[in-house]
């Protein structure tokens, strides 16, 4: 049983084939997410990445709210995604079972231990979030669009545009404040920092805060099929 794990990002779209335990069977393949990132253009990219790969089912992490396989938001992609029935379109195209969830939810599933309150924050084009209680997901937590400071949201302060604008030092200072705020709200046992910009974190992190490599976004693809 081989799973094609897909991570649709605001900047890059990544795929990898996993075995039944979630171990990689192929290297991670990546293509730039096209602009404008319409459903048709992104699906074309995804089909290019999937071509020639062998798999029996597909797991997709999508960068927005996903309810029952249908896209609800598209903060960093083309608005044409809203209402798009991604899960059924892909099921028909691949003729294989497909499951679609939020990208941060999938990333969290690839990182958590399953004990206590665990929060995943992804730092990439956007800012994603996922909350777990003893391994059970609270789906579609959207902290990224909540007010953080100076009239701006977490995503406006910590997303890729902000990083490019204010640079590594100030971005890290902002992140330190965000961690303190989130810690006071959620009282998590563990906070994971993932996404493409987690490698830019240069803070002495509290013991319950860990960075995880971006590949967790794909490795989480296997957990979607657990009973
Ligand atoms: C979206 C989230 C997503 C995050 C990271 C945000 O803009 O609203 O759903 O998880 O970006 O891709």
């Amino acid at each position: 049983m081989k799973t094609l794990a897909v991570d649709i990002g605001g900047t890059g779209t990544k795929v990898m084939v996993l075995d039944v335990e979630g171990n990689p069977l192929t290297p991670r393949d990546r293509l730039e997410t096209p602009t404008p990132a319409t459903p048709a253009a992104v699906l074309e990219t995804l089909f290019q990445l999937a071509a020639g790969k062998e798999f029996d089912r597909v797991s997709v992490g999508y960068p927005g709210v996903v309810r029952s396989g249908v896209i609800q938001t598209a903060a960093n992609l083309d608005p044409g995604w809203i209402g798009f029935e991604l899960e059924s379109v892909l099921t028909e195209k691949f003729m294989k079972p497909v499951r679609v969830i939020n990208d941060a939810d999938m990333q969290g599933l690839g990182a958590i231990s399953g004990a206590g309150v665990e929060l995943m924050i992804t730092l990439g084009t956007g800012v994603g979030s996922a909350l777990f209680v003893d391994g059970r997901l609270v789906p579609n937590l959207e902290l990224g669009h909540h007010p953080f400071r100076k009239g701006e949201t977490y995503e406006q302060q910590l997303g890729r545009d902000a990083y490019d604008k204010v640079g590594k030092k100030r971005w890290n200072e902002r992140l330190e404040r965000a961690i303190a705020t989130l810690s006071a709200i959620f009282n998590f046992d563990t906070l994971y920092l993932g996404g493409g910009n987690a490698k830019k974190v240069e803070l002495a992190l509290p013991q319950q805060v860990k960075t995880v490599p971006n590949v967790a976004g794909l490795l989480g693809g296997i957990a979607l099929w657990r009973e």
Side-chain angles (χ1 to χ4, degrees):
M1 178 57 73
K2 295 178 183 169
T3 305
L4 179 74
V6 179
D7 182 5
I8 300 175
T11 309
T13 295
K14 289 86 68 183
V15 305
M16 186 184 239
V17 180
L18 306 174
D19 73 10
V20 85
E21 253 101 58
N23 304 305
L25 294 171
T26 64
R28 189 184 85 142
D29 267 354
R30 180 185 185 282
L31 283 175
E32 293 288 309
T33 301
T35 18
T38 59
V42 175
L43 290 190
E44 185 48 44
T45 302
L46 165 51
F47 298 147
Q48 269 183 48
L49 286 164
K53 293 191 172 64
E54 253 182 59
F55 52 89
D56 309 293
R57 60 189 184 188
V58 185
S59 300
V60 182
Y62 169 86
V65 174
V66 184
R67 190 166 282 140
S68 307
V70 182
I71 304 308
Q72 311 287 324
T73 69
N76 294 297
L77 299 177
D78 188 87
W81 279 95
I82 297 165
F84 190 77
E85 298 186 10
L86 182 57
E87 200 168 271
S88 56
V89 169
L90 290 179
T91 306
E92 214 167 284
K93 166 78 188 178
F94 287 122
M95 293 192 294
K96 291 178 177 146
V98 177
R99 289 188 181 170
V100 182
I101 63 168
N102 171 264
D103 59 349
D105 289 353
M106 186 152 120
Q107 180 121 3
L109 288 166
I112 57 165
S113 72
V117 175
E118 296 178 275
L119 182 66
M120 171 90 219
I121 296 290
T122 65
L123 302 162
T125 312
V127 170
S129 52
L131 182 64
F132 300 85
V133 184
D134 291 333
R136 273 206 76 188
L137 172 67
V138 179
N140 293 311
L141 180 73
E142 286 281 328
L143 275 178
H145 302 293
H146 280 242
F148 170 38
R149 60 190 283 267
K150 301 206 163 165
E152 292 195 334
T153 63
Y154 287 90
E155 183 160 301
Q156 286 167 327
Q157 287 263 307
L158 289 166
R160 179 152 295 133
D161 286 348
Y163 180 92
D164 293 343
K165 192 163 158 229
V166 304
K168 195 186 258 184
K169 187 164 173 283
R170 278 181 61 200
W171 182 86
N172 269 278
E173 286 164 7
R174 289 176 174 185
L175 181 62
E176 191 164 33
R177 291 185 189 214
I179 293 170
T181 304
L182 294 173
S183 166
I185 298 170
F186 290 98
N187 293 293
F188 45 73
D189 295 297
T190 313
L191 168 66
Y192 302 93
L193 301 174
N197 270 350
K199 53 181 182 287
K200 308 278 171 52
V201 176
E202 283 180 352
L203 292 171
L205 294 172
Q207 191 218 323
Q208 71 275 32
V209 184
K210 301 181 165 89
T211 57
V212 295
N214 202 19
V215 74
L218 291 164
L219 299 179
I222 209 72
L224 273 56
W225 301 92
R226 271 186 226 133
E227 284 320 306

